[in-house]
PDB file of all heavy atoms in Angstrom:
ATOM      1  N   VAL A 116     113.387  89.909 111.979  1.00  0.00           N
ATOM      2  CA  VAL A 116     114.570  89.912 111.111  1.00  0.00           C
ATOM      3  C   VAL A 116     114.278  89.278 109.749  1.00  0.00           C
ATOM      4  O   VAL A 116     114.505  89.920 108.713  1.00  0.00           O
ATOM      5  CB  VAL A 116     115.772  89.236 111.821  1.00  0.00           C
ATOM      6  CG1 VAL A 116     116.923  89.006 110.861  1.00  0.00           C
ATOM      7  CG2 VAL A 116     116.224  90.074 113.000  1.00  0.00           C
ATOM      8  N   PRO A 117     113.770  88.025 109.672  1.00  0.00           N
ATOM      9  CA  PRO A 117     113.512  87.478 108.336  1.00  0.00           C
ATOM     10  C   PRO A 117     112.387  88.210 107.596  1.00  0.00           C
ATOM     11  O   PRO A 117     112.413  88.309 106.368  1.00  0.00           O
ATOM     12  CB  PRO A 117     113.150  86.013 108.584  1.00  0.00           C
ATOM     13  CG  PRO A 117     112.792  85.918 109.996  1.00  0.00           C
ATOM     14  CD  PRO A 117     113.512  87.023 110.702  1.00  0.00           C
ATOM     15  N   GLN A 118     111.430  88.734 108.349  1.00  0.00           N
ATOM     16  CA  GLN A 118     110.359  89.498 107.710  1.00  0.00           C
ATOM     17  C   GLN A 118     110.941  90.773 107.086  1.00  0.00           C
ATOM     18  O   GLN A 118     110.621  91.118 105.950  1.00  0.00           O
ATOM     19  CB  GLN A 118     109.282  89.848 108.726  1.00  0.00           C
ATOM     20  CG  GLN A 118     108.092  90.553 108.129  1.00  0.00           C
ATOM     21  CD  GLN A 118     107.058  90.905 109.183  1.00  0.00           C
ATOM     22  OE1 GLN A 118     107.347  90.914 110.380  1.00  0.00           O
ATOM     23  NE2 GLN A 118     105.868  91.209 108.736  1.00  0.00           N
ATOM     24  N   TYR A 119     111.804  91.457 107.808  1.00  0.00           N
ATOM     25  CA  TYR A 119     112.454  92.657 107.283  1.00  0.00           C
ATOM     26  C   TYR A 119     113.277  92.326 106.042  1.00  0.00           C
ATOM     27  O   TYR A 119     113.231  93.050 105.042  1.00  0.00           O
ATOM     28  CB  TYR A 119     113.342  93.293 108.357  1.00  0.00           C
ATOM     29  CG  TYR A 119     114.139  94.461 107.853  1.00  0.00           C
ATOM     30  CD1 TYR A 119     113.566  95.722 107.768  1.00  0.00           C
ATOM     31  CD2 TYR A 119     115.456  94.303 107.441  1.00  0.00           C
ATOM     32  CE1 TYR A 119     114.291  96.803 107.295  1.00  0.00           C
ATOM     33  CE2 TYR A 119     116.185  95.379 106.960  1.00  0.00           C
ATOM     34  CZ  TYR A 119     115.595  96.627 106.895  1.00  0.00           C
ATOM     35  OH  TYR A 119     116.307  97.694 106.416  1.00  0.00           O
ATOM     36  N   LEU A 120     114.037  91.227 106.092  1.00  0.00           N
ATOM     37  CA  LEU A 120     114.865  90.845 104.951  1.00  0.00           C
ATOM     38  C   LEU A 120     114.018  90.531 103.717  1.00  0.00           C
ATOM     39  O   LEU A 120     114.369  90.916 102.599  1.00  0.00           O
ATOM     40  CB  LEU A 120     115.743  89.643 105.315  1.00  0.00           C
ATOM     41  CG  LEU A 120     116.814  89.899 106.369  1.00  0.00           C
ATOM     42  CD1 LEU A 120     117.508  88.599 106.741  1.00  0.00           C
ATOM     43  CD2 LEU A 120     117.807  90.936 105.896  1.00  0.00           C
ATOM     44  N   ALA A 121     112.892  89.853 103.922  1.00  0.00           N
ATOM     45  CA  ALA A 121     112.013  89.516 102.797  1.00  0.00           C
ATOM     46  C   ALA A 121     111.389  90.773 102.191  1.00  0.00           C
ATOM     47  O   ALA A 121     111.360  90.931 100.963  1.00  0.00           O
ATOM     48  CB  ALA A 121     110.930  88.540 103.252  1.00  0.00           C
ATOM     49  N   VAL A 122     110.907  91.666 103.030  1.00  0.00           N
ATOM     50  CA  VAL A 122     110.285  92.895 102.524  1.00  0.00           C
ATOM     51  C   VAL A 122     111.330  93.773 101.851  1.00  0.00           C
ATOM     52  O   VAL A 122     111.072  94.369 100.796  1.00  0.00           O
ATOM     53  CB  VAL A 122     109.556  93.657 103.659  1.00  0.00           C
ATOM     54  CG1 VAL A 122     109.037  94.998 103.180  1.00  0.00           C
ATOM     55  CG2 VAL A 122     108.428  92.826 104.221  1.00  0.00           C
ATOM     56  N   ASN A 123     112.522  93.849 102.410  1.00  0.00           N
ATOM     57  CA  ASN A 123     113.591  94.646 101.822  1.00  0.00           C
ATOM     58  C   ASN A 123     113.974  94.097 100.449  1.00  0.00           C
ATOM     59  O   ASN A 123     114.179  94.865  99.500  1.00  0.00           O
ATOM     60  CB  ASN A 123     114.801  94.686 102.748  1.00  0.00           C
ATOM     61  CG  ASN A 123     115.802  95.731 102.338  1.00  0.00           C
ATOM     62  OD1 ASN A 123     115.445  96.780 101.812  1.00  0.00           O
ATOM     63  ND2 ASN A 123     117.065  95.441 102.578  1.00  0.00           N
ATOM     64  N   THR A 124     114.063  92.776 100.320  1.00  0.00           N
ATOM     65  CA  THR A 124     114.358  92.163  99.026  1.00  0.00           C
ATOM     66  C   THR A 124     113.257  92.475  98.024  1.00  0.00           C
ATOM     67  O   THR A 124     113.528  92.764  96.855  1.00  0.00           O
ATOM     68  CB  THR A 124     114.533  90.644  99.185  1.00  0.00           C
ATOM     69  OG1 THR A 124     115.541  90.388 100.159  1.00  0.00           O
ATOM     70  CG2 THR A 124     114.936  89.997  97.876  1.00  0.00           C
ATOM     71  N   ALA A 125     112.005  92.428  98.479  1.00  0.00           N
ATOM     72  CA  ALA A 125     110.881  92.752  97.588  1.00  0.00           C
ATOM     73  C   ALA A 125     110.943  94.202  97.138  1.00  0.00           C
ATOM     74  O   ALA A 125     110.665  94.507  95.974  1.00  0.00           O
ATOM     75  CB  ALA A 125     109.556  92.464  98.297  1.00  0.00           C
ATOM     76  N   LEU A 126     111.311  95.094  98.033  1.00  0.00           N
ATOM     77  CA  LEU A 126     111.422  96.509  97.665  1.00  0.00           C
ATOM     78  C   LEU A 126     112.540  96.741  96.646  1.00  0.00           C
ATOM     79  O   LEU A 126     112.409  97.584  95.757  1.00  0.00           O
ATOM     80  CB  LEU A 126     111.657  97.368  98.900  1.00  0.00           C
ATOM     81  CG  LEU A 126     110.456  97.574  99.819  1.00  0.00           C
ATOM     82  CD1 LEU A 126     110.869  98.318 101.079  1.00  0.00           C
ATOM     83  CD2 LEU A 126     109.353  98.310  99.090  1.00  0.00           C
ATOM     84  N   GLU A 127     113.630  95.998  96.781  1.00  0.00           N
ATOM     85  CA  GLU A 127     114.721  96.118  95.821  1.00  0.00           C
ATOM     86  C   GLU A 127     114.290  95.674  94.428  1.00  0.00           C
ATOM     87  O   GLU A 127     114.819  96.139  93.433  1.00  0.00           O
ATOM     88  CB  GLU A 127     115.925  95.305  96.289  1.00  0.00           C
ATOM     89  CG  GLU A 127     116.633  95.907  97.482  1.00  0.00           C
ATOM     90  CD  GLU A 127     117.716  95.004  98.043  1.00  0.00           C
ATOM     91  OE1 GLU A 127     117.901  93.873  97.521  1.00  0.00           O
ATOM     92  OE2 GLU A 127     118.375  95.418  99.012  1.00  0.00           O
ATOM     93  N   LEU A 128     113.325  94.737  94.374  1.00  0.00           N
ATOM     94  CA  LEU A 128     112.811  94.266  93.080  1.00  0.00           C
ATOM     95  C   LEU A 128     111.718  95.160  92.524  1.00  0.00           C
ATOM     96  O   LEU A 128     111.202  94.914  91.443  1.00  0.00           O
ATOM     97  CB  LEU A 128     112.272  92.842  93.226  1.00  0.00           C
ATOM     98  CG  LEU A 128     113.308  91.770  93.521  1.00  0.00           C
ATOM     99  CD1 LEU A 128     112.630  90.453  93.808  1.00  0.00           C
ATOM    100  CD2 LEU A 128     114.269  91.645  92.354  1.00  0.00           C
ATOM    101  N   GLY A 129     111.318  96.160  93.297  1.00  0.00           N
ATOM    102  CA  GLY A 129     110.276  97.073  92.838  1.00  0.00           C
ATOM    103  C   GLY A 129     108.872  96.631  93.195  1.00  0.00           C
ATOM    104  O   GLY A 129     107.899  97.184  92.675  1.00  0.00           O
ATOM    105  N   ILE A 130     108.740  95.657  94.066  1.00  0.00           N
ATOM    106  CA  ILE A 130     107.422  95.207  94.522  1.00  0.00           C
ATOM    107  C   ILE A 130     107.013  96.089  95.695  1.00  0.00           C
ATOM    108  O   ILE A 130     107.708  96.161  96.703  1.00  0.00           O
ATOM    109  CB  ILE A 130     107.457  93.726  94.951  1.00  0.00           C
ATOM    110  CG1 ILE A 130     107.911  92.858  93.789  1.00  0.00           C
ATOM    111  CG2 ILE A 130     106.102  93.282  95.462  1.00  0.00           C
ATOM    112  CD1 ILE A 130     108.236  91.440  94.169  1.00  0.00           C
ATOM    113  N   ASN A 131     105.898  96.773  95.563  1.00  0.00           N
ATOM    114  CA  ASN A 131     105.467  97.700  96.599  1.00  0.00           C
ATOM    115  C   ASN A 131     104.480  97.037  97.551  1.00  0.00           C
ATOM    116  O   ASN A 131     103.557  96.352  97.122  1.00  0.00           O
ATOM    117  CB  ASN A 131     104.811  98.932  95.973  1.00  0.00           C
ATOM    118  CG  ASN A 131     105.809  99.778  95.237  1.00  0.00           C
ATOM    119  OD1 ASN A 131     106.949  99.910  95.668  1.00  0.00           O
ATOM    120  ND2 ASN A 131     105.402 100.341  94.115  1.00  0.00           N
ATOM    121  N   LEU A 149     110.706 101.624 105.641  1.00  0.00           N
ATOM    122  CA  LEU A 149     110.630 100.238 106.110  1.00  0.00           C
ATOM    123  C   LEU A 149     111.081 100.125 107.562  1.00  0.00           C
ATOM    124  O   LEU A 149     110.441  99.452 108.367  1.00  0.00           O
ATOM    125  CB  LEU A 149     111.469  99.338 105.209  1.00  0.00           C
ATOM    126  CG  LEU A 149     111.403  97.848 105.473  1.00  0.00           C
ATOM    127  CD1 LEU A 149     109.980  97.333 105.321  1.00  0.00           C
ATOM    128  CD2 LEU A 149     112.341  97.112 104.530  1.00  0.00           C
ATOM    129  N   TRP A 210     105.486  87.066 102.130  1.00  0.00           N
ATOM    130  CA  TRP A 210     106.474  87.842 101.383  1.00  0.00           C
ATOM    131  C   TRP A 210     107.435  86.933 100.637  1.00  0.00           C
ATOM    132  O   TRP A 210     107.865  87.236  99.524  1.00  0.00           O
ATOM    133  CB  TRP A 210     107.235  88.782 102.314  1.00  0.00           C
ATOM    134  CG  TRP A 210     106.484  90.038 102.555  1.00  0.00           C
ATOM    135  CD1 TRP A 210     105.804  90.383 103.687  1.00  0.00           C
ATOM    136  CD2 TRP A 210     106.305  91.109 101.630  1.00  0.00           C
ATOM    137  NE1 TRP A 210     105.210  91.599 103.519  1.00  0.00           N
ATOM    138  CE2 TRP A 210     105.504  92.076 102.268  1.00  0.00           C
ATOM    139  CE3 TRP A 210     106.735  91.345 100.334  1.00  0.00           C
ATOM    140  CZ2 TRP A 210     105.135  93.260 101.651  1.00  0.00           C
ATOM    141  CZ3 TRP A 210     106.365  92.523  99.715  1.00  0.00           C
ATOM    142  CH2 TRP A 210     105.576  93.462 100.371  1.00  0.00           C
ATOM    143  N   ILE A 211     107.768  85.804 101.234  1.00  0.00           N
ATOM    144  CA  ILE A 211     108.647  84.854 100.550  1.00  0.00           C
ATOM    145  C   ILE A 211     107.937  84.294  99.316  1.00  0.00           C
ATOM    146  O   ILE A 211     108.557  84.105  98.261  1.00  0.00           O
ATOM    147  CB  ILE A 211     109.089  83.735 101.523  1.00  0.00           C
ATOM    148  CG1 ILE A 211     110.043  84.317 102.568  1.00  0.00           C
ATOM    149  CG2 ILE A 211     109.757  82.596 100.773  1.00  0.00           C
ATOM    150  CD1 ILE A 211     110.397  83.380 103.691  1.00  0.00           C
ATOM    151  N   VAL A 213     105.713  85.898  97.529  1.00  0.00           N
ATOM    152  CA  VAL A 213     105.746  86.965  96.525  1.00  0.00           C
ATOM    153  C   VAL A 213     107.106  86.993  95.833  1.00  0.00           C
ATOM    154  O   VAL A 213     107.198  87.150  94.605  1.00  0.00           O
ATOM    155  CB  VAL A 213     105.427  88.334  97.185  1.00  0.00           C
ATOM    156  CG1 VAL A 213     105.749  89.484  96.255  1.00  0.00           C
ATOM    157  CG2 VAL A 213     103.986  88.384  97.632  1.00  0.00           C
ATOM    158  N   LEU A 214     108.172  86.832  96.610  1.00  0.00           N
ATOM    159  CA  LEU A 214     109.517  86.820  96.024  1.00  0.00           C
ATOM    160  C   LEU A 214     109.696  85.626  95.096  1.00  0.00           C
ATOM    161  O   LEU A 214     110.296  85.741  94.025  1.00  0.00           O
ATOM    162  CB  LEU A 214     110.582  86.789  97.128  1.00  0.00           C
ATOM    163  CG  LEU A 214     110.724  88.038  97.971  1.00  0.00           C
ATOM    164  CD1 LEU A 214     111.718  87.799  99.107  1.00  0.00           C
ATOM    165  CD2 LEU A 214     111.170  89.203  97.119  1.00  0.00           C
ATOM    166  N   GLU A 215     109.173  84.485  95.520  1.00  0.00           N
ATOM    167  CA  GLU A 215     109.325  83.267  94.718  1.00  0.00           C
ATOM    168  C   GLU A 215     108.592  83.386  93.380  1.00  0.00           C
ATOM    169  O   GLU A 215     109.103  82.961  92.350  1.00  0.00           O
ATOM    170  CB  GLU A 215     108.814  82.065  95.507  1.00  0.00           C
ATOM    171  CG  GLU A 215     109.200  80.736  94.925  1.00  0.00           C
ATOM    172  CD  GLU A 215     108.881  79.605  95.867  1.00  0.00           C
ATOM    173  OE1 GLU A 215     107.837  79.677  96.551  1.00  0.00           O
ATOM    174  OE2 GLU A 215     109.668  78.658  95.916  1.00  0.00           O
ATOM    175  N   SER A 217     108.176  86.030  91.820  1.00  0.00           N
ATOM    176  CA  SER A 217     108.903  87.024  91.023  1.00  0.00           C
ATOM    177  C   SER A 217     110.182  86.457  90.436  1.00  0.00           C
ATOM    178  O   SER A 217     110.920  87.180  89.763  1.00  0.00           O
ATOM    179  CB  SER A 217     109.236  88.241  91.878  1.00  0.00           C
ATOM    180  OG  SER A 217     108.063  88.851  92.334  1.00  0.00           O
ATOM    181  N   VAL A 219     112.788  85.085  92.226  1.00  0.00           N
ATOM    182  CA  VAL A 219     113.959  85.261  93.084  1.00  0.00           C
ATOM    183  C   VAL A 219     114.275  83.931  93.767  1.00  0.00           C
ATOM    184  O   VAL A 219     113.373  83.191  94.170  1.00  0.00           O
ATOM    185  CB  VAL A 219     113.684  86.351  94.152  1.00  0.00           C
ATOM    186  CG1 VAL A 219     114.837  86.480  95.120  1.00  0.00           C
ATOM    187  CG2 VAL A 219     113.388  87.667  93.490  1.00  0.00           C
ATOM    188  N   ASN A 220     115.563  83.625  93.904  1.00  0.00           N
ATOM    189  CA  ASN A 220     115.976  82.444  94.656  1.00  0.00           C
ATOM    190  C   ASN A 220     115.771  82.742  96.138  1.00  0.00           C
ATOM    191  O   ASN A 220     116.455  83.579  96.719  1.00  0.00           O
ATOM    192  CB  ASN A 220     117.446  82.119  94.377  1.00  0.00           C
ATOM    193  CG  ASN A 220     117.905  80.891  95.115  1.00  0.00           C
ATOM    194  OD1 ASN A 220     117.118  80.161  95.704  1.00  0.00           O
ATOM    195  ND2 ASN A 220     119.206  80.660  95.083  1.00  0.00           N
ATOM    196  N   VAL A 221     114.820  82.063  96.747  1.00  0.00           N
ATOM    197  CA  VAL A 221     114.435  82.369  98.124  1.00  0.00           C
ATOM    198  C   VAL A 221     114.989  81.363  99.137  1.00  0.00           C
ATOM    199  O   VAL A 221     114.577  81.363 100.291  1.00  0.00           O
ATOM    200  CB  VAL A 221     112.895  82.447  98.257  1.00  0.00           C
ATOM    201  CG1 VAL A 221     112.346  83.644  97.520  1.00  0.00           C
ATOM    202  CG2 VAL A 221     112.236  81.165  97.816  1.00  0.00           C
ATOM    203  N   ASP A 223     117.824  81.290 100.671  1.00  0.00           N
ATOM    204  CA  ASP A 223     118.458  81.971 101.808  1.00  0.00           C
ATOM    205  C   ASP A 223     117.409  82.568 102.747  1.00  0.00           C
ATOM    206  O   ASP A 223     117.555  82.504 103.973  1.00  0.00           O
ATOM    207  CB  ASP A 223     119.397  83.075 101.327  1.00  0.00           C
ATOM    208  CG  ASP A 223     120.638  82.525 100.648  1.00  0.00           C
ATOM    209  OD1 ASP A 223     120.987  81.353 100.905  1.00  0.00           O
ATOM    210  OD2 ASP A 223     121.255  83.279  99.867  1.00  0.00           O
ATOM    211  N   VAL A 224     116.366  83.132 102.169  1.00  0.00           N
ATOM    212  CA  VAL A 224     115.313  83.746 102.984  1.00  0.00           C
ATOM    213  C   VAL A 224     114.558  82.662 103.756  1.00  0.00           C
ATOM    214  O   VAL A 224     114.235  82.832 104.936  1.00  0.00           O
ATOM    215  CB  VAL A 224     114.359  84.578 102.106  1.00  0.00           C
ATOM    216  CG1 VAL A 224     113.291  85.245 102.947  1.00  0.00           C
ATOM    217  CG2 VAL A 224     115.119  85.627 101.320  1.00  0.00           C
ATOM    218  N   ASP A 227     116.802  81.621 106.616  1.00  0.00           N
ATOM    219  CA  ASP A 227     116.744  82.606 107.701  1.00  0.00           C
ATOM    220  C   ASP A 227     115.457  82.463 108.506  1.00  0.00           C
ATOM    221  O   ASP A 227     115.479  82.489 109.735  1.00  0.00           O
ATOM    222  CB  ASP A 227     116.845  84.029 107.154  1.00  0.00           C
ATOM    223  CG  ASP A 227     118.212  84.355 106.596  1.00  0.00           C
ATOM    224  OD1 ASP A 227     119.187  83.657 106.946  1.00  0.00           O
ATOM    225  OD2 ASP A 227     118.300  85.317 105.799  1.00  0.00           O
TER     226      ASP A 227
END
Side-chain angles (χ1 to χ4, degrees):
V116 170
Q118 184 181 17
Y119 175 82
L120 293 174
V122 174
N123 193 33
T124 304
L126 286 174
E127 289 173 358
L128 293 173
I130 301 169
N131 291 323
L149 185 60
W210 277 105
I211 290 172
V213 167
L214 291 174
E215 193 170 37
S217 298
V219 176
N220 181 10
V221 292
D223 290 338
V224 182
D227 291 340

